[in-house]
Structures are given as C-alpha cells and as structure tokens.
Amino acid sequence: MIGARSRSPRTPVLNTLGSHTARQLLRLCEVAGLDAADAADYARTLTTALGPVAERPLDLPSPSRSFLSDDHTPVEFSLSLEPGTTPTLRVLLEPGSGAGSLAQSGRTGLRAVRELARRWNFATDRLDELEDLFFPLSPQGPLALWCALELRPGGVPRVKVYLNPAASGPARAAETVREALRRLGHRQAFSALPEADRILFFALDLGDWEEPRVKVYTAHHDLSAVAAGGLSRMKDGTDPAEIEAFFRTASGIGDGQDPLLDRRPVQACHAFTETATGLPGGFTLYVPVRDYVRHDGEALERASVLLRRYGIDQAQLRDSLAAVTSRRLEDGAGLIAYLALAHQQGRPPRVMVYISSEAYEVRPPAVRSPQVEAVH
Ligand code: TRP
C-alpha cells in the first residue's frame, strides 16, 4: 500500500557512525544468541556511550585519530570462545573520541563510565582512587580512557576500563602502574611483570565480576615464538610450548623457523586478582595477525586452525564476520585485528578474536605474504 509516509527509494538514508556500528552490534548479538530486547538495549548503550560523534555522517572522516583501530573507528568487537559454551560477544569503545583534547576526552570517558555505573548500579571506587594518576591536567599518549562491555544475556554487561600508563609521559609509565597496583592492594604485582618495551594499558574490571581483575598490558617488539613462550608469569597453568604453538599458528611461522615479528608488537596481559602471592592469575597473548597475513581469508584460516585445536566450533566466528561486513575476506586485511589466547586459573583456555568495524576504511590486501618477507 502506498501511504503518505512511504519513502521514495531515492531518499538517502543518513549513515552515521552510531547507526553503522549499532547495526553491526545488533547483527552480532543475533549471532551470539542474545534476545532482541537485550540486543536493542546494548545497541542503544553503544550509541549513547559514543556521545555526539554517533551522529556524525560516515562520509565525513573519523572524528579523531583514535588509536583504538587502524581506520580510527572508535569501536571494536571481539569474541571470547571456549569449548562447549556459547561464545561471549564484547565491544570496546572510546567514549571521548572527538571530544577535542586528550584531557577533554578523559573527562568525557570518566563521565561515560560513571553514567554506566549509575545505570547498572556498580561502584567505581577503584577507578576513582586512580584518577589523579591517569588523568593529569595535561595528559599525553595515544588514549585517555576506553571501555569494554561484555554483552551477557539479561541486558546487564560486565564493564572493563582501559587507562593509559603514559598519561604523565612515557618515562613515568612504570611508576604510574606500580603506584596504581599498590593503591589497589597489589603491592608485589609490578615486580612479577616480564621485561617489556612498553606498558600500553592498565585495565580494571568494574561491575558484576566473580573475581574482578586488574590487568597490565605490555608490548613486545621483535618477539620470536620461543620468547613468546617464555612471557607468562603465572605460577602454573601456562605451558611455554602451548603459547609458542599458538604464536606460530597465529603469525604463520613454521616449525623450525624463529623469525621476529617486526611489523607490530605482540602484546601480553597479566591479570591480578588475589593480593596474597603477588603473582598473576591470568595471562593472555595477543598476536596482531593483520600485519602478518595477505588478507583476512588467511587470518580466518589461522583462527580456524586454532579453534579446532581447542575444540571450539567455528560457526559463530564465520557468522560474526558476515554480520560485520559484506566484503569478501580476500579483499582486505584487518577485519581480524588480533588473535589471542587467554589463560585464567581454574578455567579452560579461551581463544579471542578481535573484529574491526572498518566503518571508515578497509586496508587493501598485501601484495606478497608478509611472513615470507619477514623470513628472508
Ligand atoms: N588498535 C590498538 C592496537 O592494535 C589497540 C587495540 C585495540 C588492541 N584492540 C586491541 C591491542 C586488542 C591489543 C588487543 O594495538
């Protein structure tokens, strides 16, 4: 029926950063088996947390040079997969992107997290205690605050906040992290960390977690498979051979070869919960697979090998990629940003896949295999 409110097919639909990423999230929620009401709630939460930049038409350039993703979309999705259970969908976002200065971005970020806390009634005291460390008057660095939501059934997400240890300058990063850990009761944690090139993020779990973690992310340039195998400082639970095998598969390095990953640093995360021993209860290795493949088809193949190794069904990953983009995987590199392996005491290992929104740009495929270049 043609009514007064029908649209002409030529009416342009305004595609904004908010509507685009919300649509991606809605489709991902459907793949993850979340019900329509939860999905709609989470999509609204994403748009609200993004703030005014959500209204920005997508044909304008990205609102800031966000370090969150390669094309500066201030949103990234990820799946946490383990055998026998449905994968968990998460979304990482930068609430203060486009706020202007880094200082303003930090204030906007803090306000956004406090709004989430009021809405879901969780405490932010652990974050409040650290405000002077991570939000100085003239902050420096690649970010002020990011936040991630784990999208559980029921409409109440678990929340994670990511802060910048180099806010008072790279030379102060180690001291900032040591002091933040100390204030949270983890007096010995800093000395448990492995040697690293940089401390990239300091993260806190907020809200309804069984065991809220404090996490420290370190960057490791020119890392070899063997060195990756030796990074974990967990007291037990991580086998260097297993980490090494994950690293090899994710980065495409054959057995018997030991080249260094020199295109983008590998990251490690140590997670602290109890304060008695000073040792981490969790370790995650992040391989930036996008810089070591020709295209995303190859990245998906590597992810598939890993999922098979851990007895995890692949259907949801494939469907999730299709939920985010209609492009062919061979036509770009970077949809799959990272592959990660997480160990947490008392839990089976998890494989994590980070999926870019690509709202602004698709990186063209590499002409030759990056790994071949790295080896020769
Ligand atoms: N874009 C940045 C990077 O690639 C930060 C980042 C986003 C990141 N998502 C991540 C780092 C997941 C590690 C894991 O380094």
Side-chain angles (χ1 to χ4, degrees):
M1 198 175 79
I2 301 183
R5 286 165 57 199
S6 75
R7 278 170 173 239
S8 124
R10 267 181 245 106
T11 307
V13 176
L14 191 62
N15 218 0
T16 62
L17 176 60
S19 66
H20 182 77
T21 52
R23 266 197 310 275
Q24 289 176 317
L25 188 73
L26 285 170
R27 286 194 295 260
L28 284 166
C29 284
E30 198 179 327
V31 174
L34 293 164
D35 72 30
D38 288 352
D41 242 10
Y42 286 143
R44 258 195 308 275
T45 303
L46 170 64
T47 321
T48 310
L50 281 175
V53 300
E55 308 295 325
R56 193 177 165 88
L58 261 195
D59 47 16
L60 294 180
S62 54
S64 72
R65 304 276 305 159
S66 179
F67 172 57
L68 197 145
S69 65
D70 292 356
D71 74 338
H72 311 301
T73 309
V75 175
E76 181 184 73
F77 307 103
S78 63
L79 296 176
S80 166
L81 305 121
E82 57 184 283
T85 56
T86 44
T88 308
L89 171 64
R90 299 102 53 90
V91 57
L92 174 67
L93 69 122
E94 178 159 31
S97 83
S101 68
L102 203 55
Q104 279 164 321
S105 159
R107 282 194 292 276
T108 309
L110 280 173
R111 213 178 308 122
V113 170
R114 289 177 178 138
E115 257 165 50
L116 298 177
R118 265 194 302 279
R119 165 143 180 232
W120 289 303
N121 198 26
F122 63 82
T124 59
D125 46 345
R126 295 192 325 144
L127 173 62
D128 303 340
E129 265 180 76
L130 308 178
E131 199 172 323
D132 60 310
L133 293 176
F134 292 98
F135 301 91
L137 282 177
S138 319
Q140 306 176 34
L143 78 150
L145 181 152
W146 294 345
C147 112
L149 308 173
E150 280 211 12
L151 307 180
R152 299 185 294 175
V156 182
R158 292 197 184 96
V159 178
K160 303 181 267 194
V161 175
Y162 298 82
L163 306 169
N164 169 25
S168 297
R172 302 281 303 275
E175 207 32 61
T176 299
V177 167
R178 189 197 299 274
E179 171 62 11
L181 287 165
R182 192 194 65 77
R183 287 192 196 170
L184 298 174
H186 297 282
R187 289 172 178 277
Q188 306 166 68
F190 188 83
S191 49
L193 295 170
E195 216 177 284
D197 293 301
R198 248 170 96 192
I199 310 183
L200 268 180
F201 310 111
F202 184 87
L204 286 176
D205 289 341
L206 297 179
D208 179 25
W209 295 82
E210 257 164 49
E211 282 191 304
R213 300 157 303 174
V214 175
K215 298 186 288 182
V216 182
Y217 291 75
T218 47
H220 303 267
H221 293 270
D222 301 330
L223 197 69
S224 71
V226 173
L231 276 181
S232 171
R233 296 293 181 269
M234 269 174 84
K235 50 178 170 276
D236 44 40
T238 47
D239 172 7
E242 181 194 354
I243 309 283
E244 184 182 326
F246 179 89
F247 179 99
R248 284 185 186 282
T249 306
S251 51
I253 295 171
D255 287 342
Q257 299 178 325
D258 207 20
L260 309 177
L261 294 199
D262 57 2
R263 304 199 149 211
R264 188 186 299 267
V266 168
Q267 293 193 29
C269 168
H270 283 85
F272 298 89
T273 47
E274 48 85 16
T275 52
T277 66
L279 292 173
F283 170 76
T284 306
L285 186 80
Y286 299 86
V287 176
V289 61
R290 64 193 184 283
D291 287 293
Y292 302 97
V293 290
R294 273 169 304 162
H295 53 67
D296 285 298
E298 214 177 312
L300 176 60
E301 265 169 43
R302 294 192 196 158
S304 300
V305 172
L306 292 168
L307 293 180
R308 258 197 306 280
R309 184 177 305 162
Y310 286 89
I312 300 166
D313 183 47
Q314 299 170 40
Q316 186 162 353
L317 173 57
R318 287 173 187 276
D319 293 349
S320 295
L321 297 176
V324 167
T325 184
S326 55
R327 76 161 169 88
R328 295 187 330 153
L329 296 179
E330 291 70 26
D331 289 345
L335 179 64
I336 301 184
Y338 277 92
L339 294 175
L341 177 66
H343 283 88
Q344 182 79 32
Q345 239 142 50
R347 290 179 61 174
R350 290 175 291 143
V351 173
M352 275 127 47
V353 182
Y354 289 78
I355 304 176
S356 307
S357 164
E358 296 186 334
Y360 292 106
E361 215 175 298
V362 173
R363 192 211 293 176
V367 181
R368 287 196 295 143
S369 166
Q371 201 46 60
V372 171
E373 287 174 45
V375 173
H376 291 296

